[in-house]
């Protein structure tokens, strides 16, 4: 799932109650045996873990419990506004919820972070798939409990799915669009039925992402209302200290019902997870330098290169380190809002892309820390290279009449410059493209045939973005686009994104390692283009894109999925609804040297707050008692 705040790290139980699932075959969803209770599902290939496994390999069951993990959400990346929160409902489109609120809720199944496309039972002990793969029957664990001790039943799960299908975040609504039947057959049996138009892997996202709420708790409350009352949950943590816009602290639930399930063993070590919020990036950094914040991910290259020389670094009390990134596709790009007429011509969007000088920006602002993004699926095997392969051509040929001719050549690369900051050839080409799109220059500024100026406003929510964005804006103005930078507060920024009230914004997302038709529709499909609050920020609505997304659901192997995704990547690059900009090849991390963790980190997730633990000997050695 593309929503970072909805990522789930959940667990499977093996006990006498799981004896039936222990007999279940380890099969792929593509050729899953029907009518047999299964302990897990995989899109392709066998599940790594059998039904009697004791814990995920990347966890440490012997790690000590205790201590506090304190960090700030200060990624300061585009759409990820870190400065505040105003609701504890993280699953609707209203308000800004704090990070990690998802730790308070359990789901039917959970992903393994060392597999790209497998889910295992959490609240659900087993799942049985119908012969036509339209119906999934979940046998729920009778021991599942909410934090107040009340039973978590199939009726609660049915209520949650029904509620989120109609009132949830738009991306969740798109995800469940083809889910037509939600039935609690009894307290411990839930049946989910699909229309037949769904991807056969839709269940992987739905079962692992959708949280389960208490039906009784919401009987006297409105789900879609922003609230600072912590909803009743069932997860490993619950919200404890809540200071709006300043601090949220989650406390570990000591009698958490699932704490002894095999994959829960070895995770959730900290007694408390505290998140501190800052309106200014520098205040955030100073708090870390003083030791009030214990862990930090750095997103400003200048800071990473020039400012990590404070006393605690020199004394080796703070560790500065790069961790490998996950094997997940990364989208970091500018989205151009094609709901506005001036941006509907592809040539205008290409001209805008030509005005960004990455080479100059990297040298002067990024200290060459970041790499140039070429793809919307960067850092993954879905990124296309060179000319289409024979397998790609098999996908493309039936669509030839609807595809742009250039897709049959080399994969589009983003423009390169001479590094001067104002490459004359690129800017000249940009002028030619806008002129060809029907705009004329009047007094140095482009206008359409009716005399309306070609305006472009880049919307940002933090001052830190002005430094790297200003040269881009200056180049746009130099060629005749009336460009400007608009800084708004985070709350207004989120409202404008939800209402699609912008010309251009930056966005950064980590996508799922095995995309489904439903998850791709949420960001690139016509179905989501007109849904307020969706992450289809450009308003992309192209039948050719939809056709390729639909083919994703029919992939019978990972190799076939990769082929289809590479063709989709080729098309998206040419369309330029999203303009890829830059990315970091690794996580830039600094932390006070008081933690233990298992290496290597898992390939498909980096949930430090649930996998690391406090090392008392290290803490005492640096004075952190």
């Amino acid at each position: 799932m593309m929503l970072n705040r909805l990522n789930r790290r959940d667990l499977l139980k093996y006990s006498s109650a799981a004896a039936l699932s222990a007999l279940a075959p380890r099969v792929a969803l593509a050729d899953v045996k029907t009518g047999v209770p299964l302990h897990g599902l995989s899109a392709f290939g066998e599940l790594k873990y059998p039904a009697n496994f004791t814990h995920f390999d990347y966890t440490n069951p012997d790690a000590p419990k205790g201590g506090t993990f304190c960090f700030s959400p200060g990624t300061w990346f585009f759409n990820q506004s870190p400065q505040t929160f105003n609701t504890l409902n993280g699953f609707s489109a209203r308000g800004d919820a704090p990070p990690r609120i998802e730790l308070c809720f359990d789901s039917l199944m959970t992903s393994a972070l060392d597999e790209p496309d497998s889910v295992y039972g959490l609240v659900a002990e087993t799942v049985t798939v119908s012969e036509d793969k339209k119906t999934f029957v979940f046998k729920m664990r009778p021991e599942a409990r909410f934090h107040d001790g009340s039973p978590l039943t199939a009726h609660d799960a049915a209520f949650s799915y029904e509620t989120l299908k109609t009132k949830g975040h738009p991306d969740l609504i798109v995800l469940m669009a083809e889910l037509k039947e939600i039935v609690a057959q009894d307290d411990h049996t839930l049946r989910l039925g699909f229309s037949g138009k769904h991807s056969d892997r839709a269940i992987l996202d739905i079962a692992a992402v959708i949280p389960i709420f208490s039906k009784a708790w919401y009987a006297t409350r409105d789900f879609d209302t922003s609230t600072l009352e912590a909803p009743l949950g069932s997860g490993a943590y619950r919200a404890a200290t809540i200071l709006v816009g300043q601090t949220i602290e989650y406390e570990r639930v000591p009698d958490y019902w699932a704490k002894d399930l095999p994959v829960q063993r070895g995770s959730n070590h900290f007694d408390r997870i505290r998140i501190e919020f800052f309106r200014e990036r520098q205040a955030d950094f100073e708090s870390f330098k003083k030791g009030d914040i214990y862990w930090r991910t750095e997103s400003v290259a200048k800071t990473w290169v020039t400012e990590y020389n404070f006393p605690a670094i020199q004394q080796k009390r703070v560790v500065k380190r790069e961790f490998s990134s996950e094997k997940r596709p990364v989208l970091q790009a500018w989205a151009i809002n094609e709901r506005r007429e001036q941006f509907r011509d592809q040539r205008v969007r290409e001209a805008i892309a030509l005005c960004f000088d990455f080479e100059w920006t990297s040298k002067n602002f990024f200290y060459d820390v970041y790499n140039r993004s070429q793809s919307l699926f960067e850092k993954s095997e879905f990124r296309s290279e060179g000319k289409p392969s024979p397998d790609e051509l098999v996908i493309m040929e039936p669509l030839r009449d609807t595809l742009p001719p250039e897709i049959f050549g080399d994969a589009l690369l983003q423009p390169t410059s001479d590094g001067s900051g104002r490459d004359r050839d690129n800017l000249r080409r940009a002028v030619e493209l806008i002129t060809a799109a029907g705009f004329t220059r009047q007094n140095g500024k482009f206008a359409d045939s009716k005399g309306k100026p070609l305006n472009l406003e880049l919307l940002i929510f933090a001052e830190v973005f002005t430094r790297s964005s200003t040269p881009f804006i200056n180049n746009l103005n130099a060629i005749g686009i009336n460009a400007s930078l608009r800084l708004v507060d985070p709350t207004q920024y989120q409202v404008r994104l939800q209402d699609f009230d912008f010309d251009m914004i930056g966005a950064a997302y980590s996508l799922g390692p095995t995309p489904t038709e439903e998850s791709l529709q949420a960001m690139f499909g016509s179905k989501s283009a007109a849904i307020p609050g969706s992450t289809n920020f450009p308003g992309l609505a192209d039948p050719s894109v939809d056709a390729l997304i639909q083919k994703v659901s029919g992939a019978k192997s990972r190799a076939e999925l990769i082929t289809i995704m590479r063709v989709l990547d080729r098309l998206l690059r040419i369309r330029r609804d999203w303009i890829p900009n830059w990315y970091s090849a690794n996580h830039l991390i600094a932390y006070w040297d008081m933690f233990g963790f298992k290496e290597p980190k898992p390939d498909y997730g980096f949930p430090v707050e649930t996998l690391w633990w406090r090392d008392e000997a290290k803490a005492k050695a640096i004075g952190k008692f």
Side-chain angles (χ1 to χ4, degrees), residues 73-92:
T75 54
W76 300 89
F77 262 175
F78 300 129
N79 52 300
Q80 300 170 5
S81 171
Q83 295 101 322
T84 189
F85 68 95
N86 50 34
T87 181
L88 296 183
N89 182 353
F91 303 97
S92 75

Side-chain angles (χ1 to χ4, degrees), residues 81-152:
S81 171
Q83 295 101 322
T84 189
F85 68 95
N86 50 34
T87 181
L88 296 183
N89 182 353
F91 303 97
S92 75
R94 296 190 179 187
D96 296 313
R100 309 307 184 265
I101 194 68
E102 71 274 8
L103 294 176
C104 300
F105 303 93
D106 283 328
S107 52
L108 291 171
M109 307 186 82
T110 184
S111 300
L113 299 182
D114 54 354
E115 295 180 90
D117 48 29
S118 297
V119 295
Y120 296 86
L122 175 57
V123 172
E125 184 176 341
T126 65
V127 55
T128 302
V129 185
S130 67
E131 185 174 355
D132 60 6
K133 298 180 185 177
K134 293 182 182 180
T135 303
F136 298 81
V137 177
F138 296 89
K139 199 66 178 178
M140 299 176 63
R141 301 182 190 275
E143 66 268 34
R145 291 289 184 274
F146 289 104
H147 293 154
D148 65 353
S150 60
L152 189 162

